[in-house]
Amino acid sequence: DVYEALRAEGNLKIRVYEQCNLPVLEKLRDFLSRGYNTGYGDELFRIGPFKVISDGALGARTAYLREPYTDVPTTCGIPFFSQEELDALILEAHRAGMQIAIHAIGDAGMDMVMNAMEKARRQYPRTGERHGIIHCQITHHDQLDRMKAMDLIAYIQPIFLNYDISIIDDRIGAQRASTSYNWKEFLDKGIPISGGSDCPVEPFSPWLNIYTAVARKDFHRCPEGGYQPEEKMSVYDAVCMFTKNLHYAAGQDAVLGTLEPGKFADMVVIDRDIFKIPADEIMDIQV
């Protein structure tokens, strides 16, 4: 309501693509019955994907894992829905034609989300849906292969490395950590990646996110050489993640994301050439 009021007043100065967190089936059905769906709106305010949060977070040991936490082996984390509940929500949104983007941090949480999406697709085949998973932090090679086969988008937040570098080995052990936060592998497998900030949990700045994707260091520029340096992204790929890729994820790549005839000329001017400076300086970029 607020976004629509701002738009009507001529006071909406940014383009908004709103994820809709509707964790109860009755709320989702009411939302749809009012005529809301992915694509509702115009170039300034548009309703985007159906969203729910399927599990917790790594720091609190509530991300839902296939195997127990290494440092607290009495828990695998918390799934916020049963498989049946998640199936029903995703089926309802998919059947209605909504795009879907579900929060899943743990590997078991990702399994649940992909299981639900597969069931919905079998019942109601669609094309061009651009479904995806938000965060995708604790992963395995088989899950990335499955995401590629399902043509899913990965909504990732590189900035999480700033804190998680210091806890990940303790939380899940070196073996599971070695296949987690592996964004270059996503790219190598051809999985679309859309960048995000997770603001207000983390700072909004895209430069901090691009820095952590490229350098794989915390804000103190540690560790030397970067965490799992084989997973460093190129500056080009990291910039794409926060420009054209996110508009692909929003289904607006025909009009946004690259500077070419026929598209909106949305741009910023920055104080240095991001493609020529050392990776450690990217976090200092100013608009």
Side-chain angles (χ1 to χ4, degrees):
D1 291 343
V2 172
Y3 285 134
E4 292 198 312
L6 287 169
R7 180 180 58 189
E9 296 164 1
N11 289 323
L12 189 57
K13 305 300 184 185
I14 58 173
R15 304 192 197 283
V16 177
Y17 190 72
E18 183 182 38
Q19 295 180 0
C20 304
N21 191 7
L22 298 160
V24 179
L25 198 56
E26 290 74 19
K27 288 185 177 182
L28 173 58
R29 286 172 174 163
D30 178 67
F31 176 86
L32 294 167
S33 72
R34 295 169 184 262
Y36 299 124
N37 205 320
T38 302
Y40 169 95
D42 60 17
E43 70 272 7
L44 282 178
F45 169 66
R46 192 181 303 271
I47 286 178
F50 163 73
K51 175 187 179 179
V52 294
I53 298 173
S54 75
D55 69 348
L58 186 69
R61 300 182 186 86
T62 50
Y64 185 38
L65 303 180
R66 290 177 175 178
E67 303 291 337
Y69 280 82
T70 300
D71 55 352
V72 181
T74 56
T75 184
C76 289
I78 301 174
F80 292 173
F81 301 93
S82 68
Q83 186 68 64
E84 292 72 23
E85 290 168 334
L86 190 60
D87 289 352
L89 283 164
I90 287 178
L91 178 65
E92 188 75 17
H94 176 83
R95 178 172 56 189
M98 288 199 79
Q99 183 186 14
I100 295 170
I102 308 297
H103 162 122
I105 288 179
D107 48 9
M110 291 186 61
D111 287 338
M112 289 183 67
V113 171
M114 287 190 278
N115 290 342
M117 288 182 176
E118 279 190 338
K119 292 173 187 176
R121 283 171 158 176
R122 282 197 299 268
Q123 283 192 248
Y124 298 97
R126 284 171 48 194
T127 58
E129 57 205 14
R130 300 194 186 182
H131 295 340
I133 303 177
I134 302 168
H135 303 314
C136 305
Q137 287 170 237
I138 312 305
T139 59
H140 303 278
H141 303 305
D142 65 292
Q143 291 181 308
L144 270 58
D145 292 336
R146 190 179 181 191
M147 286 187 71
K148 172 59 179 174
M150 294 178 65
D151 197 25
L152 297 180
I153 296 166
Y155 296 80
I156 68 167
Q157 298 72 30
I159 200 170
F160 286 169
L161 274 180
N162 173 56
Y163 174 72
D164 289 0
I165 284 173
S166 64
I167 65 167
I168 185 169
D169 284 358
D170 289 338
R171 288 286 189 275
I172 63 174
Q175 179 57 45
R176 282 184 289 184
S178 69
T179 61
S180 300
Y181 303 78
N182 50 343
W183 304 310
K184 187 174 184 298
E185 184 180 353
F186 280 73
L187 291 173
D188 291 343
K189 290 182 182 292
I191 298 169
I193 292 181
S194 174
S197 68
D198 212 51
C199 184
V201 175
E202 300 288 353
F204 179 74
S205 168
W207 315 116
L208 294 176
N209 270 283
I210 293 171
Y211 158 75
T212 45
V214 173
R216 292 184 69 88
K217 297 179 181 180
D218 64 20
F219 294 167
H220 301 291
R221 298 180 171 87
C222 295
E224 184 69 29
Y227 174 75
Q228 294 180 359
E230 69 277 4
E231 289 295 331
K232 290 180 179 180
M233 293 176 63
S234 69
V235 176
Y236 175 80
D237 286 331
V239 169
C240 287
M241 183 168 55
F242 284 88
T243 52
K244 71 176 185 178
N245 294 10
L246 61 88
H247 293 298
Y248 171 84
Q252 299 181 66
D253 46 312
V255 293
L256 286 164
T258 55
L259 296 176
E260 54 188 305
K263 294 189 176 186
F264 291 111
D266 291 3
M267 65 184 79
V268 297
V269 177
I270 57 178
D271 64 352
R272 64 201 81 181
D273 187 339
I274 191 171
F275 295 104
K276 293 182 178 178
I277 60 176
D280 282 356
E281 291 185 19
I282 293 174
M283 64 186 299
D284 300 322
I285 287 175
Q286 298 293 314
V287 175

